[in-house]
Amino acid sequence: MKISKRLKMSAELVPKGLLLADIGTDHGYLPICVIEEGKVKRAVASDISRGSADKAYENVLSHGLEEKIDVRCGKGLETLKENEFPDIIVLTGMGGVLMTEILEEGRAKTQRAACLILQPQHNIDRVRAYVRGAGFKITDEAMTAEQGKYYFSLKCEKGEDVPYNETDLEVGRFLPESGNPLFKEFLREKIYKYSESIKRAYEKNSETDISKLERKLEILKEADKIGELSKM
């Protein structure tokens, strides 16, 4: 089925598996996609919104997948049954803080998963820090742009990882060296925005913590430099 660029990006990171749980499934497009592609055998499509869950159920029925996708309405990983442990957990379309809260509140389920596919809308640094602390290693990152907004997806698999520095947390370890022109565009936009924010803060003698802005700008410039070096 045809899905948005941001969902397609996350779907492409999904590995082969038996059971996938898509938390915050919205209209159920991602589980339908990976089931039809033969990546997973079964899926739970869960959303806290009754309207979204109902729409997801309609979409599942229209694709004839009601025997393979179980649509549920509820909060986070609480919709999973006591003895139900998905080997792949997907969370998209939400902020990074909420994402880490869902994973932590459902820690018993999170810890049994082999892979997490995460697409935070913001606070991605919090997500990177959390998954490492939860015993996962980020093994791949992807990005796309849709309707004027950038989206990032993380593939996290069980395993230990070396500590992250500030640059790793802010921009990841994969994209700076990827040579992805879209990532370069993203960095340049962020560098410009932070530069302008710092300039305005100085001009207005603002109470804004300029040192934090300057450190963010420094990190972004470091990432930009990594990208240039990777081309050599």
Side-chain angles (χ1 to χ4, degrees):
M1 70 174 298
K2 186 175 181 180
I3 59 177
S4 66
K5 288 171 67 175
R6 71 175 186 86
L7 286 181
K8 181 176 176 57
M9 174 177 64
S10 287
E12 288 175 347
L13 292 177
V14 172
K16 292 276 187 179
L18 296 176
L19 177 63
L20 174 144
D22 184 25
I23 308 302
T25 195
D26 195 22
H27 291 179
Y29 295 137
L30 187 143
I32 291 172
C33 177
V34 296
I35 288 282
E36 289 187 334
E37 290 179 352
K39 283 191 167 185
V40 298
K41 300 294 184 182
R42 293 194 308 111
V44 172
S46 174
D47 203 286
I48 196 169
S49 163
R50 169 53 64 186
S52 293
D54 288 345
K55 187 61 180 178
Y57 184 64
E58 290 176 12
N59 289 331
V60 167
L61 286 179
S62 69
H63 283 78
L65 295 175
E66 60 271 21
E67 297 298 319
K68 294 186 176 182
I69 301 177
D70 192 1
V71 179
R72 300 171 190 171
C73 182
K75 180 183 177 184
L77 295 167
E78 293 176 8
T79 58
L80 296 172
K81 298 173 184 176
E82 186 176 347
N83 62 346
E84 198 171 41
F85 297 97
D87 48 343
I88 305 161
I89 297 174
V90 177
L91 290 96
T92 65
M94 64 188 74
V97 174
L98 175 59
M99 189 172 285
T100 57
E101 289 174 351
I102 288 173
L103 291 170
E104 184 61 26
E105 288 170 3
R107 194 174 180 84
K109 303 290 185 182
T110 301
Q111 289 297 302
R112 292 283 290 271
C115 180
L116 309 175
I117 304 295
L118 310 174
Q119 191 185 98
Q121 303 281 49
H122 40 74
N123 294 119
I124 194 170
D125 56 330
R126 292 275 296 268
V127 176
R128 290 190 179 107
Y130 175 82
V131 295
R132 180 180 177 275
F136 287 85
K137 181 177 182 178
I138 299 174
T139 57
D140 199 4
E141 296 196 16
M143 75 171 296
T144 190
E146 193 168 40
Q147 297 181 343
K149 185 174 181 180
Y150 297 104
Y151 294 93
F152 297 83
S153 289
L154 316 179
K155 181 178 183 179
C156 317
E157 299 177 279
K158 291 291 286 188
E160 294 185 8
D161 204 355
V162 296
Y164 295 164
N165 59 34
E166 286 181 285
T167 304
D168 294 333
L169 290 172
E170 187 69 27
V171 297
R173 289 175 174 161
F174 294 88
L175 291 168
E177 298 182 356
S178 67
N180 186 332
L182 188 61
F183 182 69
K184 174 68 69 175
E185 177 186 299
F186 162 79
L187 274 183
R188 295 292 167 85
E189 286 188 17
K190 294 279 281 187
I191 288 170
Y192 174 76
K193 287 179 181 178
Y194 272 103
S195 298
E196 288 299 299
S197 294
I198 292 168
K199 181 181 177 181
R200 286 195 298 271
Y202 274 118
E203 287 175 348
K204 296 180 180 180
N205 196 23
S206 170
E207 294 182 2
T208 302
D209 191 339
I210 297 176
S211 63
K212 287 185 178 181
L213 294 175
E214 290 177 330
R215 180 54 189 150
K216 285 275 191 180
L217 179 60
E218 184 180 343
I219 289 170
L220 293 169
K221 287 183 176 180
E222 287 174 4
D224 192 31
K225 191 180 299 182
I226 291 171
E228 291 300 318
L229 290 173
S230 68
K231 295 178 182 178
M232 300 175 66

